Amino acid sequence: VADLEFHPKLETDFERCMSVMQSGTQMIKLKRGTKGLVRLFYLDEHRTRLRWRPSRKSEKAKILIDSIYKVTEGRQSEIFHRQAEGNFDPSCCFTIYHGNHMESLDLITSNPEEARTWITGLKYLMAGISDEDSLQTFEEADKNGDGLLNIEEIHQLMHKLNVNLPRRKVRQMFQEADTDENQGTLTFEEFCVFYKMMSLRRDLYLLLLSYSDKKDHLTVEELAQFLKVEQKMNNVTTDYCLDIIKKFEVSEENKAKNVLGIEGFTNFMRSPACDIFNPLHHEVYQDMDQPLCNYYIASSHNTYLTGDQLLSQSKVDMYARVLQEGCRCVEVDCWDGPDGEPVVHHGYTLTSKILFRDVVETINKHAFVKNEFPVILSIENHCSIQQQRKIAQYLKGIFRDKLDLSSVDTGECKQLPSPQSLKGKILVKGKKLPYHLGDDAEEGEVSDEDSADEIEDECKFKLHYNNGTTEHQVESFIRKKLESLLKESQIRDKEDPDSFTVRALLKATHEGLNAHLKQSPDVKESGKKSHGRSLMTNFGKHKKTTKSRSKSYSTDDEEDTQQNTGKEGGQLYRLGRRRKTMKLCRELSDLVVYTNSVAAQDIVDDGTTGNVLSFSETRAHQVVQQKSEQFMIYNQKQLTRIYPSAYRIDSSNFNPLPYWNAGCQLVALNYQSEGRMMQLNRAKFKANGNCGYVLKPQQMCKGTFNPFSGDPLPANPKKQLILKVISGQQLPKPPDSMFGDRGEIIDPFVEVEIIGLPVDCCKDQTRVVDDNGFNPVWEETLTFTVHMPEIALVRFLVWDHDPIGRDFVGQRTVTFSSLVPGYRHVYLEGLTEASIFVHITINEIYGKWSPLILNPSYTILHFLGATKNRQLQGLKGLFNKNPRHSSSENNSHYVRKRSIGDRILRRTASAPAKGRKKSKMGFQEMVEIKDSVSEATRDQDGVLRRTTRSLQARPVSMPVDRNLLGALSLPVSETAKDIEGKENSLVQI
């Protein structure tokens, strides 16, 4: 978008659309269950919001242009489909999808020309073309509308652009640009000159001078040298350099001379060619011929929901959205519906219902639009035999040959097929009738233990009423209470996933309902007790641990640690209780081929493949913590699906990293919930062409290692990332800033986080730059060492430091393997122009180093934990045996739940002091000798955070192993030979 140029025809068309939209157009707004409302829709003066009137919402009747996901022409939405075919001309209809929950605004114009104008204009705005039009910036700054800008209007513009230059400097540039007879004001042409002077990138200009022999341009040879030396590009040809000059140079004179000036060089450096993400990874580049179990697969949980798990709307459009975003495993919860038609919704909740047939048709339409790799349909079957047969009928009738797997080549015996061999196919994941039943059996009993819908046991609404309490009254109260609490849950630090607990929400709802019922004069005592028990007994309460039986597990790490005994009892109870079963029809069973849903109890180590084991995050957490190596071995032959706990009724997401680290393929997240976890998921799957399949590291596909070890792969080289954070560009005010647009200019700093194996997880940050969001300069170097770069993510965050803590400005997360070396721009996700400019160097480190040398954020506890070996206990005991208490090694990863006071203190303490310049030196010259334990601390997110360190220089030849080992008490299990070997290995490369 940044490289779009305004051709006269495009500019004329753009301005025509803007003029019509800002004048306003009368349109019919369709709503569910109504005939439609006539409203005047118009674009606001800043071209950032779509508004309408009249409206009861008054000022709230608006849609931010930045929140628009897509605009579709014709009668494509669910609401349009409900209207009779001949009601409206399709060429007058269009739908705007907006917001995190992809809400639809369905509009009808009086003629096709108006619809065409609005669709075109909205697409221009979504593409960011308006941001490229300097005329818009000029018009916004021209407060009195006289077509000229005076110095005061320029100062106001500077504040709006988030830049704080000295007034003397602004006046100097103003006077240099003011060249006509009308002194004291700038025309549009003069303003363009002023804007270019203000936007001149000093960092890029100095970079150009260093390669141009102090000239103000680069020749073809100098440009080639820069690309080879700094950008590490191979096969740089003269023709390639000439193409860069032709595409990015703005001066016709420079083009004629085949040189690249500062404006052209800036355009090139800000183009996708110099983005931090490897452009080759926008396409599928990995081997796609390996078995399915060798890939991470992008997976969605309760795909149909647009919001929370209890109250939100179910929409077929969500399937289209997630499939187009690259998701390859979608979930369909099937229930008996009226008139013999199965429906999809979240059972035992107040979510709306949609027809199963509509879901299948939508999936069929959108499954292979973006890529042809297979889609897994995770069927949660709660239907009667009659409606199961209807489900099978729709699947076969709509998907047709997409379900035919007879021609698929599975290669070796007992091996899952590859994504390549399954192109264009849809795999049905569900229950399969037992093999001991004959082929002539029409139906049979199957286990219902592994349902990915734990709400049936833990949180279900059972609506029974007595003595005057109506369903409407109770439902209305619950809806209002939950809506209020869910709104509160949104007021939180976007980078603080634990700041709101669902348990508190459930408890508050439970207490509020009881209080409501007690106050109701129409309800007798017996009715209150009966209703309270039937509706909310299991809703937010954990059963207390008892001697006879217990079932206690939690979504938060604190309770995972404190109630270990309860969890063990709960596991025994779960495995010992009577198995739930259901009837399954033959037609539906036969559609399941390579993705047979099994419970943990049904696993038999007989060498067969094609089973998919489903775990809630709570149970999976226990397995990962206690038996990670055995779990990794299991995932080398079979598929595992992890889904969110039933207690996440706000549709929050868990951290997928621990499960990816154990080799789990299908880590299902709530795609409708934007936040840190979905950002990690997007980054993970953006590599490899965003096709939804990412190859697991070879070490996870064969052999095993302990992901919690201090040195998990001692024989493999490690990667050293040297990251120089140079500058920032056009960083906006935080969207949730308490001061809003009236606030001061931001004081930004950058935080870089490595996310991967526990040993690699750490973060570091730059100093704060005061009062400059337009072009802050940091010039700071951060260094990280990564043991397993194949699964590591690198997360860039920009924060605004203020007296009471920090405000989130933006982020960008990239897989380590997709980083490209050299000078690169990191564009913040969702922000058109905001970026940070960095230089990246990646080195390989061979041999075995002490963890304290490799990563200064490393702690002694990690070093001790690295020597702790675990015994393999076989597959049979992997899921069914009573889990042991966590080892000290695992407890080092325990995260304590924070109080509100803790969070405020953390927010205040986490930002570096203003003006503080951190001392940074490469690890080759430095080693921590003193206070090595206290100098690196794990912050309350459970991530190692580097603090200001007291570093002592050492000669390159000085060994450090004895300095380290002399202070350590090694575990008793180590023999003298082990210690000797370790000492000999801790030497410099």
Side-chain angles (χ1 to χ4, degrees):
V1 171
D3 300 321
L4 286 172
E5 296 181 3
F6 260 74
H7 300 291
K9 183 177 182 305
L10 176 61
E11 187 163 9
T12 303
D13 190 38
F14 171 76
E15 287 303 331
R16 181 187 62 79
C17 292
M18 295 301 105
S19 175
V20 170
M21 293 166 71
Q22 287 183 304
S23 299
T25 304
Q26 290 253 339
M27 290 186 259
I28 297 174
K29 175 186 176 186
L30 279 188
K31 294 185 71 175
R32 190 186 303 273
T34 65
K35 292 182 179 179
L37 307 169
V38 177
R39 297 288 183 264
L40 178 70
F41 287 84
Y42 62 97
L43 187 65
D44 74 349
E45 58 178 335
H46 300 302
R47 300 177 180 175
T48 58
R49 292 175 176 85
L50 173 62
R51 293 183 174 275
W52 59 91
R53 62 175 185 258
S55 173
R56 286 178 298 176
K57 296 180 180 177
S58 185
E59 280 301 305
K60 293 184 179 179
K62 63 186 177 185
I63 294 174
L64 293 175
I65 298 298
D66 286 345
S67 75
I68 297 178
Y69 174 72
K70 67 176 177 178
V71 179
T72 60
E73 306 176 42
R75 298 161 44 91
Q76 294 191 38
S77 74
E78 181 186 347
I79 290 179
F80 271 124
H81 286 162
R82 294 175 184 271
Q83 302 292 325
E85 191 67 39
N87 277 6
F88 307 108
D89 179 358
S91 62
C92 296
C93 304
F94 66 99
T95 301
I96 300 170
Y97 293 94
H98 62 96
N100 290 336
H101 301 151
M102 217 171 82
E103 300 163 54
S104 68
L105 176 63
D106 301 277
L107 301 173
I108 304 156
T109 61
S110 58
N111 61 69
E113 179 59 29
E114 288 180 341
R116 185 74 251 145
T117 298
W118 273 85
I119 292 166
T120 303
L122 287 170
K123 288 185 175 179
Y124 277 143
L125 291 169
M126 289 166 64
I129 287 179
S130 64
D131 292 334
E132 293 301 305
D133 189 3
S134 299
L135 185 58
Q136 183 185 342
T137 306
F138 181 81
E139 287 175 345
E140 286 182 18
D142 185 13
K143 298 296 183 185
N144 58 15
D146 62 358
L148 299 170
L149 297 184
N150 58 39
I151 188 67
E152 192 53 42
E153 288 172 324
I154 288 291
H155 282 309
Q156 291 175 12
L157 173 65
M158 301 290 279
H159 190 277
K160 184 166 186 175
L161 291 174
N162 213 5
V163 59
N164 186 22
L165 287 176
R167 283 183 169 253
R168 179 181 51 79
K169 178 69 174 175
V170 174
R171 182 169 290 281
Q172 178 188 338
M173 290 192 297
F174 185 95
Q175 290 170 347
E176 289 179 22
D178 187 10
T179 56
D180 65 2
E181 297 175 357
N182 191 7
Q183 292 291 300
T185 58
L186 299 182
T187 64
F188 173 63
E189 290 73 19
E190 290 172 332
F191 170 73
C192 290
V193 174
F194 171 85
Y195 193 82
K196 284 179 181 176
M197 283 192 286
M198 185 181 71
S199 305
L200 178 67
R201 292 274 301 275
R202 181 175 175 273
D203 49 3
L204 293 180
Y205 188 60
L206 292 175
L207 183 59
L208 180 143
L209 291 178
S210 68
Y211 274 86
S212 66
D213 195 22
K214 306 293 173 56
K215 302 188 302 292
D216 63 354
H217 61 264
L218 291 170
T219 64
V220 170
E221 293 75 20
E222 290 164 346
L223 177 58
Q225 182 73 358
F226 168 76
L227 296 176
K228 292 174 186 174
V229 174
E230 291 294 353
Q231 306 301 81
K232 308 299 181 189
M233 292 178 65
N234 300 319
N235 305 318
V236 177
T237 63
T238 300
D239 287 343
Y240 179 73
C241 294
L242 289 171
D243 283 342
I244 290 175
I245 294 170
K246 182 180 177 182
K247 182 176 180 181
F248 297 104
E249 180 55 54
V250 294
S251 164
E252 292 300 326
E253 182 183 351
N254 284 348
K255 283 183 180 179
K257 294 178 181 177
N258 287 333
V259 297
L260 191 67
I262 181 58
E263 286 187 65
F265 184 63
T266 300
N267 290 339
F268 169 65
M269 293 301 294
R270 287 185 64 81
S271 75
C274 294
D275 189 77
I276 193 170
F277 186 84
N278 190 334
L280 298 178
H281 292 189
H282 286 298
E283 305 295 330
V284 175
Y285 72 97
Q286 295 178 346
D287 176 12
M288 302 303 287
D289 287 311
Q290 297 190 30
L292 279 178
C293 53
N294 285 7
Y295 297 86
Y296 298 112
I297 305 171
S299 306
S300 162
H301 170 251
N302 287 356
T303 311
Y304 47 88
L305 290 180
T306 58
D308 65 82
Q309 302 288 307
L310 293 182
L311 306 171
S312 66
Q313 293 288 308
S314 303
K315 289 190 179 180
V316 295
D317 295 332
M318 292 301 293
Y319 289 93
R321 173 187 161 183
V322 302
L323 288 168
Q324 290 176 24
E325 287 180 6
C327 179
R328 295 285 91 184
C329 178
V330 295
E331 184 175 7
V332 186
D333 285 332
C334 305
W335 298 81
D336 281 352
D339 305 321
E341 288 290 333
V343 294
V344 174
H345 80 118
H346 199 197
Y348 303 107
T349 70
L350 305 179
T351 57
S352 62
K353 300 176 176 66
I354 51 179
L355 290 176
F356 176 80
R357 179 186 59 212
D358 292 345
V359 169
V360 176
E361 286 175 346
T362 302
I363 292 171
N364 187 56
K365 182 178 178 180
H366 295 278
F368 305 112
V369 171
K370 290 296 178 77
N371 76 77
E372 293 186 72
F373 290 105
V375 169
I376 300 173
L377 199 63
S378 182
I379 300 276
E380 289 297 328
N381 176 17
H382 307 279
C383 292
S384 62
I385 290 292
Q386 291 78 11
Q387 296 209 13
Q388 285 181 35
R389 292 196 173 102
K390 205 68 173 285
I391 288 173
Q393 176 189 328
Y394 284 136
L395 291 174
K396 289 186 283 189
I398 295 171
F399 290 149
R400 297 182 182 275
D401 58 351
K402 294 184 180 75
L403 293 176
D404 181 12
L405 304 176
S406 58
S407 61
V408 174
D409 178 23
T410 57
E412 299 176 21
C413 184
K414 293 185 177 180
Q415 181 173 280
L416 286 170
S418 68
Q420 184 69 31
S421 67
L422 290 168
K423 269 190 168 183
K425 299 297 182 183
I426 292 178
L427 304 179
V428 177
K429 171 190 166 292
K431 288 292 182 182
K432 201 163 179 62
L433 288 174
Y435 291 109
H436 62 74
L437 285 179
D439 291 341
D440 57 344
E442 292 289 319
E443 59 188 59
E445 295 274 334
V446 294
S447 162
D448 195 26
E449 287 292 325
D450 72 321
S451 170
D453 197 346
E454 283 194 336
I455 199 167
E456 288 181 64
D457 293 325
E458 304 300 326
C459 304
K460 57 189 175 185
F461 285 112
K462 296 178 180 178
L463 299 174
H464 304 299
Y465 309 95
N466 294 289
N467 302 321
T469 305
T470 67
E471 177 177 355
H472 176 74
Q473 287 174 336
V474 175
E475 181 177 323
S476 176
F477 172 79
I478 294 170
R479 187 176 291 277
K480 286 179 181 176
K481 185 70 179 175
L482 286 173
E483 281 176 348
S484 169
L485 290 164
L486 286 167
K487 277 182 183 176
E488 289 179 25
S489 77
Q490 304 308 313
I491 306 171
R492 53 178 165 173
D493 182 350
K494 289 182 174 60
E495 284 296 308
D496 189 1
D498 252 353
S499 66
F500 175 80
T501 62
V502 178
R503 183 179 310 283
L505 189 154
L506 292 169
K507 183 179 178 184
T509 309
H510 187 193
E511 292 171 352
L513 180 64
N514 286 339
H516 171 73
L517 292 173
K518 285 175 184 176
Q519 291 168 8
S520 174
D522 299 328
V523 184
K524 295 180 182 178
E525 186 68 26
S526 61
K528 284 186 289 186
K529 289 183 179 178
S530 170
H531 173 76
R533 277 198 302 272
S534 62
L535 178 67
M536 297 297 286
T537 296
N538 290 331
F539 193 143
K541 270 166 73 176
H542 285 270
K543 297 185 180 78
K544 294 182 180 178
T545 305
T546 62
K547 292 182 180 179
S548 59
R549 71 179 194 181
S550 64
K551 182 180 179 184
S552 174
Y553 51 90
S554 160
T555 60
D556 57 84
D557 292 338
E558 180 178 30
E559 293 224 7
D560 279 347
T561 304
Q562 292 178 349
Q563 297 188 3
N564 218 314
T565 308
K567 283 197 303 187
E568 292 174 15
Q571 184 84 340
L572 286 170
Y573 165 60
R574 178 186 287 273
L575 299 180
R577 66 184 176 182
R578 186 171 61 85
R579 301 282 298 279
K580 287 196 301 181
T581 61
M582 61 173 289
K583 283 190 178 295
L584 177 67
C585 74
R586 170 67 63 183
E587 294 94 321
L588 194 52
S589 171
D590 287 347
L591 295 179
V592 177
V593 181
Y594 297 114
T595 45
N596 176 28
S597 295
V598 296
Q601 299 92 322
D602 298 329
I603 294 177
V604 179
D605 188 15
D606 59 358
T608 59
T609 58
N611 293 330
V612 182
L613 178 65
S614 286
F615 269 157
S616 76
E617 61 173 291
T618 313
R619 296 187 66 201
H621 175 77
Q622 297 174 24
V623 176
V624 168
Q625 289 290 316
Q626 303 299 330
K627 302 176 180 180
S628 56
E629 292 174 66
Q630 299 98 301
F631 201 14
M632 196 177 293
I633 292 172
Y634 175 83
N635 288 325
Q636 291 171 3
K637 293 292 183 184
Q638 310 281 12
L639 297 176
T640 301
R641 181 174 183 267
I642 314 297
Y643 55 88
S645 162
Y647 291 106
R648 292 186 180 274
I649 61 171
D650 62 344
S651 293
S652 59
N653 280 312
F654 59 92
N655 183 4
L657 261 296
Y659 310 108
W660 286 336
N661 291 347
C664 299
Q665 300 88 352
L666 299 156
V667 182
L669 299 182
N670 293 305
Y671 269 59
Q672 73 273 30
S673 297
E674 187 51 50
R676 174 184 170 92
M677 303 315 170
M678 271 306 298
Q679 289 160 2
L680 301 184
N681 192 71
R682 262 200 306 275
K684 178 84 169 176
F685 290 102
K686 185 174 181 182
N688 205 30
N690 197 33
C691 73
Y693 288 84
V694 170
L695 194 60
K696 295 198 298 191
Q698 192 60 31
Q699 302 93 325
M700 283 188 180
C701 300
K702 292 180 180 177
T704 186
F705 63 91
N706 180 359
F708 296 104
S709 168
D711 192 6
L713 299 164
N716 291 27
K718 300 160 184 63
K719 296 280 188 183
Q720 182 198 40
L721 172 63
I722 302 174
L723 183 68
K724 185 176 185 181
V725 182
I726 301 169
S727 63
Q729 295 78 42
Q730 301 183 45
L731 304 176
K733 292 182 177 69
D736 298 327
S737 171
M738 68 174 63
F739 299 111
D741 288 337
R742 303 188 309 277
E744 293 300 313
I745 293 164
I746 68 170
D747 306 325
F749 68 95
V750 177
E751 182 178 70
V752 181
E753 183 179 3
I754 305 296
I755 306 164
L757 293 182
V759 67
D760 291 331
C761 290
C762 62
K763 58 177 74 170
D764 206 349
Q765 59 196 25
T766 67
R767 60 186 169 82
V768 172
V769 172
D770 291 338
D771 294 334
N772 192 346
F774 188 73
N775 55 359
V777 175
W778 292 284
E779 289 279 354
E780 287 198 51
T781 300
L782 313 177
T783 304
F784 304 92
T785 300
V786 182
H787 292 69
M788 197 170 192
E790 297 90 341
I791 60 172
L793 301 172
V794 183
R795 186 166 171 82
F796 299 85
L797 299 113
V798 179
W799 298 95
D800 173 24
H801 174 69
D802 64 52
I804 61 168
R806 60 182 185 175
D807 287 316
F808 177 74
V809 175
Q811 68 83 35
R812 173 86 178 274
T813 308
V814 183
T815 53
F816 190 101
S817 56
S818 295
L819 295 177
V820 275
Y823 288 96
R824 304 288 167 183
H825 278 92
V826 184
Y827 283 93
L828 303 184
E829 194 175 271
L831 301 173
T832 308
E833 296 295 326
S835 63
I836 51 180
F837 186 49
V838 301
H839 183 273
I840 291 174
T841 305
I842 299 175
N843 298 322
E844 282 201 336
I845 304 171
Y846 293 90
K848 187 169 181 180
W849 275 72
S850 159
L852 285 168
I853 307 297
L854 284 178
N855 199 335
S857 299
Y858 212 82
T859 62
I860 293 296
L861 284 175
H862 277 81
F863 184 76
L864 292 173
T867 64
K868 196 173 184 66
N869 295 319
R870 298 184 178 189
Q871 300 296 319
L872 294 177
Q873 297 179 359
L875 275 178
K876 187 176 179 183
L878 177 54
F879 309 113
N880 296 342
K881 283 193 175 179
N882 188 18
R884 297 178 179 176
H885 290 279
S886 297
S887 66
S888 61
E889 179 180 336
N890 290 341
N891 285 339
S892 69
H893 303 291
Y894 143 75
V895 182
R896 183 175 62 85
K897 185 74 72 179
R898 295 188 297 280
S899 67
I900 292 174
D902 289 337
R903 291 200 297 276
I904 291 174
L905 287 173
R906 169 183 170 265
R907 284 167 55 84
T908 308
S910 62
K914 287 190 179 183
R916 175 177 64 79
K917 183 70 178 75
K918 295 179 73 176
S919 171
K920 292 285 175 187
M921 303 183 77
F923 80 93
Q924 291 95 335
E925 296 85 24
M926 289 298 177
V927 60
E928 296 176 68
I929 302 290
K930 187 178 179 183
D931 298 332
S932 56
V933 178
S934 61
E935 287 169 0
T937 59
R938 182 173 292 276
D939 76 4
Q940 295 177 348
D941 287 324
V943 177
L944 290 171
R945 180 183 290 280
R946 300 181 184 181
T947 56
T948 306
R949 298 184 288 273
S950 172
L951 298 175
Q952 176 177 327
R954 67 174 175 85
V956 172
S957 59
M958 176 182 171
V960 298
D961 51 304
R962 296 183 188 279
N963 290 329
L964 294 171
L965 292 173
L968 298 179
S969 174
L970 293 172
V972 178
S973 60
E974 292 196 5
T975 62
K977 185 177 180 180
D978 290 332
I979 297 173
E980 182 181 352
K982 201 164 283 179
E983 285 187 350
N984 292 335
S985 66
L986 291 173
V987 294
Q988 187 180 358
I989 300 169

